[in-house]
Amino acid sequence: MNSTFQLTGGWVEVIAGSMFSGKSEELIRRVRRSMIAKKRVQVFKSHLDNRYSGVFSVGSHDGRTVDAIPVDSASQVAVRLDPFAQVIAIDEVQFLDDGIVDVAADLALRGRRVILAGIDSDFRGEPFGPMPKLMCQAEVVDKLHAICVMCGAPASRNQRLIDGKPAHWDSPQIMVGGTESYEARCRACHKVLKGDQPSLL
Ligand code: ADP
Ligand code: ZN
C-alpha cells in the first residue's frame, strides 16, 4: 500500500484568537478530557508567558492550571518530547519559531494528537509568528473571540496600550517585561498609531 494513504490517526488542531478569548481555558479543557480518557499527555508552553503561575504550568485568566514544560524554541519541544505521549499540547505557540510547523507535522504523521493554542494576530493586527502556517496545516482550527472592552462586540484584536494610549505601528512585535498593557477589542475599536498621527484615545 502506498504509504501516503496510510491512516496514522494523528492530526493537528489549532486554537487561535486574541488575548482573553479563552484559548488557555480551551486547551486546559481538551488536555483534562484527554487525561480522563487515559491518554498520555504532555503539555508545553512558551517561556515568554509567565503571567500567572510561573513557567511550569499553563494558566488561564480564570485561574485554572495544568502542569507544563517551559520551552522557547521548536527544537526544545523536539528534544524534550516524551516518546510515549499520545497527546502533545503547546500553549502560547505564537512565540515559537517556524520550526514548530515541521515538529507538529512530524508528530501528527507519527499518530499523535497535537493541540496548539496561540494568538493569531499581533498588536498591529498582522499575522503572529508561525500561526498562519500552523493554521494552514491543521486539520481543525477554532478561532475564539473575547469581548471588546470598548463596545461589547466580539473581539478579534489585541489593543496594545502604552501609558494608556494606543501603541505606535513601529513598536516591536514582542515587548518582554515592558510597561505596556493589552485590551481585547473588535476591528472598529482597534487602534494603531502610524507616522506622526496623534493619539485619539
Ligand atoms: P487566552 O488564553 O485566550 O488569553 P484565557 O483562557 O487565559 O484566554 O482567559 C479567558 C478568560 O479571560 C475569560 O473566561 C474571562 O474570564 C477573562 N476575560 C478577561 N477579559 C476578558 C474580555 N475582554 N473578554 C472575554 N473574557 C475576558
Ligand atoms: Zn469594539
Side-chain angles (χ1 to χ4, degrees):
M1 183 176 155
N2 184 332
S3 63
T4 311
F5 295 99
Q6 276 176 9
L7 288 175
T8 64
W11 68 88
V12 176
E13 47 196 91
V14 170
I15 307 165
S18 68
M19 293 172 76
F20 307 106
S21 64
K23 301 181 302 299
S24 298
E25 277 173 9
E26 179 59 20
L27 181 134
I28 291 167
R29 190 184 77 87
R30 293 184 193 184
V31 163
R32 289 224 164 103
R33 288 171 65 90
S34 299
M35 289 169 170
I36 290 167
K38 304 199 187 321
K39 302 289 183 198
R40 190 163 168 134
V41 183
Q42 197 179 23
V43 183
F44 295 93
K45 92 166 194 177
S46 155
H47 259 309
L48 280 175
D49 181 84
N50 58 0
R51 58 189 176 192
Y52 286 131
S53 43
V55 291
F56 294 104
S57 66
V58 171
S60 73
H61 287 106
D62 70 356
R64 305 193 82 187
T65 62
V66 294
D67 289 344
I69 299 167
V71 286
D72 60 13
S73 67
S75 58
Q76 277 187 14
V77 175
V79 165
R80 303 192 67 179
L81 268 176
D82 171 359
F84 299 105
Q86 298 157 294
V87 178
I88 292 97
I90 309 176
D91 198 20
E92 304 290 354
V93 73
Q94 77 278 355
F95 292 135
L96 296 182
D97 52 279
D98 268 8
I100 198 62
V101 179
D102 285 344
V103 171
D106 188 51
L107 284 169
L109 274 176
R110 290 192 281 126
R112 308 311 198 273
R113 176 183 177 188
V114 184
I115 307 171
L116 305 170
I119 299 172
D120 52 347
S121 67
D122 66 10
F123 77 98
R124 305 181 188 100
E126 299 278 295
F128 208 145
M131 287 299 285
K133 289 179 180 161
L134 292 171
M135 292 164 82
C136 172
Q137 72 143 304
E139 276 80 0
V140 184
V141 177
D142 288 293
K143 178 147 175 165
L144 308 185
H145 298 90
I147 304 297
C148 176
V149 297
M150 306 295 280
C151 75
S156 57
R157 307 292 172 102
N158 303 296
Q159 178 66 54
R160 180 186 283 171
L161 299 169
I162 297 177
D163 296 330
K165 298 194 175 77
H168 200 275
W169 181 277
D170 295 335
S171 64
Q173 186 183 51
I174 300 172
M175 295 178 77
V176 181
T179 54
E180 84 283 14
S181 61
Y182 291 91
E183 290 178 352
R185 294 200 190 178
C186 71
R187 180 189 294 272
C189 297
H190 180 249
K191 304 278 182 262
V192 186
L193 295 186
K194 290 183 181 168
D196 296 332
Q197 198 182 344
S199 173
L200 300 173
L201 51 144

